[in-house]
Amino acid sequence: MWKMIKDFHIEMSRGLAGRPSSLKMLPAYVDRPTGREKGKFIALDLGGTNFRVLDICLKGSGASSKPRAMKFVLKKKLVKGSADPLFGFLADSISRFLRKEKIGPARAIDMGFTFSFPMKQKGVASGSLVLWTKGFNVRGVIGKDVVALLKKALDKKGLGRVRIAALANDTVGTMVARSYSDPHCDVGVIIGTGTNACYAEKLANIRKLNGPKMGSMIVNIEWGNFNKLEKTSYDKKLDASSDRPGEQVLEKMVSGMYIGELARLVIKGLIGKKAIFNGTSSPGLEKAYNFRTEYVSEAASDRSHNLGKMKSRLKSLGIPNSTLEDRRTVKSVCEMVSARAARVSGAAVAAVITKMDPTLSKMHTVAVDGSVYEKLPRFSKNIAKALQEIFGRKAGRIRLVLTKDGSGKGAAIIAAVAASGE
Ligand code: BGC
């Protein structure tokens, strides 16, 4: 973990200076909020299997209303198709939301758009996609401004009055949402289908940015792409058969998109060595990505004497006669894959915090969201344990706080910051 922290710092500094690095260190053109931001905003959230639209009222003094929200499922053909159908669908969904919530033409609409992919920004209200991750692969978007693409689709639907005031990565949204009421919050982390983090950096340290050097700005690290990590043979196999070999190396060890697949590859390896199931596999276990990350959760939470839940899960995967010993082995495989993911995340959090505050001289809140962090048994505990191993008692100065659905609210707050700056 210490080696990882050292390499992480080197890559962070390179990225901030605009030199080649696996960490892109993308400036977000927004700083932490004051908590006094006010007004009604619509927030959009794109980055996983659903597109969400929310209506949020920020009350100032760190409080906000419970958002009214609608979810729209993104079909596979939309996330693997071309730009027009995807942005047309987003515009349609927004229009349905406005109708349902009876938000008529009388209300000016300022939107904050959470876009959970790496993007290069030149200001808070625009950004061009750097690359797709998490299984998205929509033609004609890389290198384009996603705000302009959405605006064009909205205009086509007669929604020209909608203004996209801010664009933010989900980590930035999550950090901003927590910062609204917590002045110690200076890191945002997502560990879900994908993984990433952002933090508050001094402008003087963002050497690739020209302009004022006073104050600070949030930087989207894109830590999923960190590549100074020791790979096992399983990591190498997973990478070689992935959409983009060589990219998102840390993400492929940590995030929900890959944890199940890693466990499947280890299980297959053990079958090959005749260490489990008498050396017999099944079509269910041979199929890539068929052992889902939820099954890893299920295995880790099965505390029954005969591991009954796992027995039926293995049965459904075509292994009807597992022995208790087999199931114990599969359970520990799942726990190991999950524990490694948590330790890699813990070391990454430690690196980000020591970049800002090498001696841990003050308190830090880390706003965290994502299904892996929230749902994988012992995941958050294992991160805390890793931080304790690294920092000893000083780990008490770091507080990880689950910030559920923060990214939508955060986008609204950023829209408010942007609107007030005009
Ligand atoms: C993306 C990040 C995003 C993260 C969490 C990664 O795959 O590259 O931009 O923040 O997933 O959603």
Side-chain angles (χ1 to χ4, degrees):
M1 288 195 287
W2 278 113
K3 176 171 181 332
M4 187 184 145
I5 293 169
K6 208 172 130 223
D7 289 336
F8 214 92
H9 285 164
I10 296 172
E11 293 289 277
M12 284 176 102
S13 299
R14 283 193 184 139
L16 287 171
R19 287 165 47 207
S21 167
S22 64
L23 296 177
K24 295 188 190 74
M25 309 299 288
L26 303 165
Y29 292 86
V30 67
D31 198 1
R32 279 169 292 174
T34 59
R36 292 188 298 273
E37 293 75 10
K38 260 185 171 175
K40 277 187 173 177
F41 296 89
I42 304 280
L44 312 174
D45 194 352
L46 177 75
T49 39
N50 297 310
F51 173 56
R52 288 193 313 146
V53 187
L54 307 96
D55 188 17
I56 299 175
C57 179
L58 304 173
K59 299 183 175 161
S61 65
S64 60
S65 64
K66 192 171 176 334
R68 291 177 294 168
M70 255 173 111
K71 252 190 202 170
F72 304 87
V73 179
L74 289 164
K75 298 233 171 75
K76 202 168 169 193
K77 66 172 196 247
L78 282 177
V79 301
K80 302 231 183 234
S82 58
D84 279 354
L86 175 67
F87 286 90
F89 176 82
L90 303 187
D92 261 340
S93 310
I94 294 166
S95 158
R96 276 174 59 192
F97 179 81
L98 296 178
R99 273 203 309 274
K100 177 166 175 271
E101 295 299 336
K102 301 195 171 51
I103 302 173
R107 183 177 142 190
I109 299 175
D110 275 331
M111 277 186 181
F113 183 11
T114 304
F115 184 73
S116 311
F117 300 96
M119 54 191 167
K120 272 212 177 102
Q121 297 189 254
K122 288 195 184 133
V124 72
S126 64
S128 58
L129 176 67
V130 177
L131 96 157
W132 286 116
T133 56
K134 297 177 283 195
F136 274 61
N137 207 348
V138 185
R139 287 185 303 281
V141 190
I142 291 180
K144 299 255 176 69
D145 177 11
V146 292
V147 170
L149 288 172
L150 180 58
K151 185 78 187 119
K152 197 174 108 197
L154 286 166
D155 287 348
K156 249 190 177 167
K157 300 261 175 261
L159 285 170
R161 69 191 163 109
V162 172
R163 198 174 70 123
I164 304 156
L167 177 70
N169 183 257
D170 51 352
T171 55
V172 178
T174 302
M175 171 178 157
V176 165
R178 176 76 203 182
S179 301
Y180 192 54
S181 59
D182 177 354
H184 295 300
C185 178
D186 47 14
V187 185
V189 173
I190 303 281
I191 312 174
T193 310
T195 185
N196 186 18
C198 70
Y199 72 112
E201 181 56 282
K202 291 194 188 94
L203 273 170
N205 290 342
I206 314 178
R207 288 174 38 210
K208 62 185 169 188
L209 272 193
N210 298 321
K213 294 290 175 202
M214 295 287 281
S216 58
M217 185 187 277
I218 302 175
V219 172
N220 167 13
I221 303 171
E222 284 295 333
W223 82 14
N225 196 46
F226 181 68
N227 65 6
K228 306 284 176 281
L229 290 160
E230 295 271 347
K231 285 189 200 143
T232 65
S233 60
Y234 308 110
D235 297 312
K236 289 179 191 156
K237 262 193 202 139
L238 183 142
D239 184 51
S241 58
S242 69
D243 271 0
R244 294 189 173 75
E247 280 169 16
Q248 300 296 96
V249 174
L250 182 145
E251 182 158 274
K252 284 170 180 158
M253 293 185 180
V254 167
S255 85
M257 175 119 191
Y258 304 103
I259 284 179
E261 176 63 0
L262 278 173
R264 187 189 74 87
L265 291 170
V266 182
I267 294 167
K268 259 186 65 163
L270 290 174
I271 297 174
K273 289 182 181 137
K274 298 199 172 5
I276 48 172
F277 311 147
N278 254 330
T280 318
S281 189
S282 72
L285 279 179
E286 288 300 307
K287 195 165 163 224
Y289 292 87
N290 208 30
F291 195 90
R292 302 165 60 95
T293 299
E294 288 94 301
Y295 306 166
V296 174
S297 261
E298 206 175 77
S301 65
D302 190 348
R303 291 180 180 277
S304 66
H305 176 64
N306 72 337
L307 297 179
K309 258 197 245 162
M310 189 184 301
K311 191 170 181 198
S312 28
R313 176 60 62 204
L314 288 170
K315 215 171 174 178
S316 77
L317 289 165
I319 307 280
N321 301 317
S322 59
T323 64
L324 181 56
E325 200 48 42
D326 289 339
R327 298 196 289 279
R328 283 200 182 124
T329 308
V330 174
K331 180 173 159 81
S332 42
V333 167
C334 291
E335 285 169 345
M336 280 180 212
V337 171
S338 160
R340 183 187 67 163
R343 290 174 76 78
V344 169
S345 316
V349 167
V352 176
I353 289 178
T354 47
K355 171 76 175 66
M356 291 184 288
D357 178 9
T359 58
L360 280 188
S361 62
K362 49 181 202 144
M363 292 295 296
H364 299 269
T365 303
V366 181
V368 197
D369 199 4
S371 50
V372 169
Y373 181 79
E374 191 189 352
K375 295 195 180 134
L376 221 63
R378 288 179 292 287
F379 198 90
S380 54
K381 277 208 183 106
N382 281 333
I383 294 189
K385 223 169 107 193
L387 290 172
Q388 239 150 35
E389 276 176 44
I390 295 167
F391 295 121
R393 281 171 65 207
K394 275 194 172 174
R397 305 220 171 128
I398 305 170
R399 214 156 66 96
L400 272 77
V401 179
L402 179 67
T403 307
K404 258 180 86 85
D405 296 330
S407 62
K409 179 176 154 193
I413 298 167
I414 299 170
V417 174
S420 69
E422 283 169 354

